[in-house]
């Protein structure tokens, strides 16, 4: 059936479209700021200044010798130099929709407005999925690897500036024993020169299927796995973050949540999510285009303790 809108409707709708553009944009940008985002809790979110950002592992100082320096003997110098580099190349992500003249003429503003909100929420979901993908590769080196080419979680990390290896991979299922296994790994954590480092692991990251167990592990002052009122040594020790974007329901992570942590996986934002509205001259449709550019990945591994949860 041919469209039979009145001239009055047409006149009102076109003036409304012009007036509503700022409001549509406001709805879009408001939906980019939900309360419970996960990506910013598991990634170091940084501002990119070029289309390719680079992380380097500089040769770090080895531990001081435990043998006393002989009086008058020469100092022994460590040669510091730029070592292995990791590049983060910005990718473009986009989504869009268009609105017909008929929708505008019929004053279908509630639907048009709601789609702007969906477009904004979709941008956040895209960022969440990309961030979770870094963790999904944690036990099998896939798209996202460390400077040395290892998976994020590995029992034999190649330490770039020493001939040794490091371990941040556990296997015990989520439990008090599993947390203990990861804490022992934390106490034996090495940097790239083979020196011990202390990282403030404060967050337990799990899939929604393990959220209840995780909250019981850290939220009860009594051991949730015992009927003898034993003290729960993990009470209040960790925040729990549940991500529905993680692919595995058994793998879990202890991470350092601080955005300043130098070992943390990185999200480089180059172009923040933005909305552009245009009129398509051939059809008269109004085009709504959402677009952003960012990159994710990991350079070093010492911010995360990973368990396969397999045993």
């Amino acid at each position: 059936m041919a469209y039979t809108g009145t001239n009055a409707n047409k006149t009102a709708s076109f003036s409304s479209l012009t007036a509503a553009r700022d409001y549509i944009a406001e709805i879009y940008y408001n939906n980019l700021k939900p309360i419970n985002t996960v990506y910013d809790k598991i990634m170091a979110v940084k501002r990119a200044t070029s289309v390719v950002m680079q992380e380097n592992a500089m040769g770090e100082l080895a531990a001081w010798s435990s043998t006393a320096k002989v009086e008058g003997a020469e100092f022994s110098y460590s040669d510091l130099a730029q070592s292995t580099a990791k590049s983060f190349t910005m990718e473009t992500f986009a989504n869009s929709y268009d609105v017909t003249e008929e929708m505008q003429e019929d004053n279908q503003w509630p639907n048009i407005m709601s789609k702007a909100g969906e477009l904004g929420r979709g941008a956040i979901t895209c960022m969440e999925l990309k961030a979770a993908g870094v963790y999904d590769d944690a036990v099998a080196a896939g798209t996202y690897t460390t400077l040395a080419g290892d998976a994020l979680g590995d029992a034999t990390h190649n330490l770039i500036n020493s001939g040794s290896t490091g371990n941040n991979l556990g296997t015990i299922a989520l439990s008090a024993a599993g947390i203990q296994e990861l804490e022992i790994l934390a106490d034996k954590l090495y940097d790239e020169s083979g020196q011990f480092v202390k990282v403030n692991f404060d967050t337990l990251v799990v899939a929604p299927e393990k959220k209840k167990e995780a909250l019981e592990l850290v939220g009860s002052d009594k051991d949730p796995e015992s009927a003898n009122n034993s003290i729960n040594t993990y009470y209040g020790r960790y925040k729990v973050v549940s991500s529905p974007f993680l692919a595995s329901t058994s793998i879990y992570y202890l991470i350092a949540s601080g955005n300043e942590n130098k070992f943390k996986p990185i999200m480089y934002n180059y172009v923040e999510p933005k909305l552009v509205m245009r009129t398509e001259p051939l059809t008269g449709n109004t085009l709504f285009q959402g677009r952003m550019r960012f990159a994710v990945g990991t350079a070093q591994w010492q911010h995360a303790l990973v368990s396969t949860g397999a045993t």
Side-chain angles (χ1 to χ4, degrees), residues 198-236:
K198 292 299 292 182
V199 176
N200 181 29
F201 295 102
D202 60 3
T203 303
L204 177 59
V205 181
V206 298
E209 289 81 358
K210 296 294 183 181
K211 182 178 180 179
K212 178 177 181 293
E213 295 173 56
L215 290 172
E216 288 175 346
L217 273 172
V218 303
S220 171
D221 60 349
K222 299 295 189 294
D223 185 352
E225 299 175 350
S226 170
N228 299 323
N229 287 331
S230 302
I231 294 174
N232 179 13
T233 58
Y234 304 112
Y235 172 58

Side-chain angles (χ1 to χ4, degrees), residues 42-53:
I42 63 176
M43 309 288 284
V45 181
K46 300 182 180 183
R47 177 67 180 165
T49 55
S50 67
V51 69
V52 178
M53 297 296 291

Side-chain angles (χ1 to χ4, degrees), residues 19-73:
R21 282 178 180 263
D22 289 343
Y23 185 48
I24 293 172
E26 181 181 353
I27 293 174
Y28 171 79
Y29 287 110
N30 283 344
N31 277 273
L32 293 173
K33 303 173 184 178
I35 296 173
N36 296 317
T37 51
V38 176
Y39 72 87
D40 53 342
K41 298 179 179 65
I42 63 176
M43 309 288 284
V45 181
K46 300 182 180 183
R47 177 67 180 165
T49 55
S50 67
V51 69
V52 178
M53 297 296 291
Q54 187 166 279
E55 294 287 324
N56 298 292
M58 188 180 206
E60 299 183 44
L61 289 173
W64 289 27
S65 173
S66 58
T67 301
K69 179 182 178 293
V70 177
E71 181 180 352

Side-chain angles (χ1 to χ4, degrees), residues 15-219:
S15 61
S16 297
L17 177 61
T18 301
R21 282 178 180 263
D22 289 343
Y23 185 48
I24 293 172
E26 181 181 353
I27 293 174
Y28 171 79
Y29 287 110
N30 283 344
N31 277 273
L32 293 173
K33 303 173 184 178
I35 296 173
N36 296 317
T37 51
V38 176
Y39 72 87
D40 53 342
K41 298 179 179 65
I42 63 176
M43 309 288 284
V45 181
K46 300 182 180 183
R47 177 67 180 165
T49 55
S50 67
V51 69
V52 178
M53 297 296 291
Q54 187 166 279
E55 294 287 324
N56 298 292
M58 188 180 206
E60 299 183 44
L61 289 173
W64 289 27
S65 173
S66 58
T67 301
K69 179 182 178 293
V70 177
E71 181 180 352
E74 293 182 358
F75 283 90
S76 177
Y77 293 91
S78 296
D79 295 323
L80 298 187
Q82 180 173 294
S83 185
T84 307
K86 181 87 173 185
S87 295
F88 291 72
T89 302
M90 303 305 130
E91 297 179 296
T92 299
F93 304 91
N95 201 1
S96 60
Y97 66 96
D98 65 341
V99 174
T100 64
E101 285 190 283
E102 285 78 7
M103 283 190 71
Q104 298 167 38
E105 292 162 351
D106 288 346
N107 293 319
Q108 296 294 311
W109 297 111
N111 291 326
I112 296 173
M113 300 295 188
S114 68
K115 293 304 177 185
E118 291 175 20
L119 197 63
R121 291 192 297 276
I124 294 295
T125 299
C126 175
M127 297 170 76
E128 294 282 14
L129 287 168
K130 294 296 288 186
V134 176
Y135 284 82
D136 288 339
D137 278 356
V139 297
T143 302
Y144 304 106
T145 59
T146 66
L147 282 160
D150 304 325
L152 178 60
D154 198 310
T156 56
H157 280 288
N158 294 306
L159 302 184
I160 294 172
N161 299 310
S162 80
S164 188
T165 59
N167 181 10
N168 70 331
L169 183 65
T171 61
I172 299 176
L174 182 62
S175 60
I179 298 296
Q180 180 185 26
E181 179 186 34
L182 294 185
E183 287 192 342
I184 291 172
L185 292 177
D187 288 340
K188 298 180 177 181
L189 202 63
Y190 295 102
D191 66 13
E192 298 300 329
S193 292
Q195 291 200 64
F196 287 111
V197 292
K198 292 299 292 182
V199 176
N200 181 29
F201 295 102
D202 60 3
T203 303
L204 177 59
V205 181
V206 298
E209 289 81 358
K210 296 294 183 181
K211 182 178 180 179
K212 178 177 181 293
E213 295 173 56
L215 290 172
E216 288 175 346
L217 273 172
V218 303

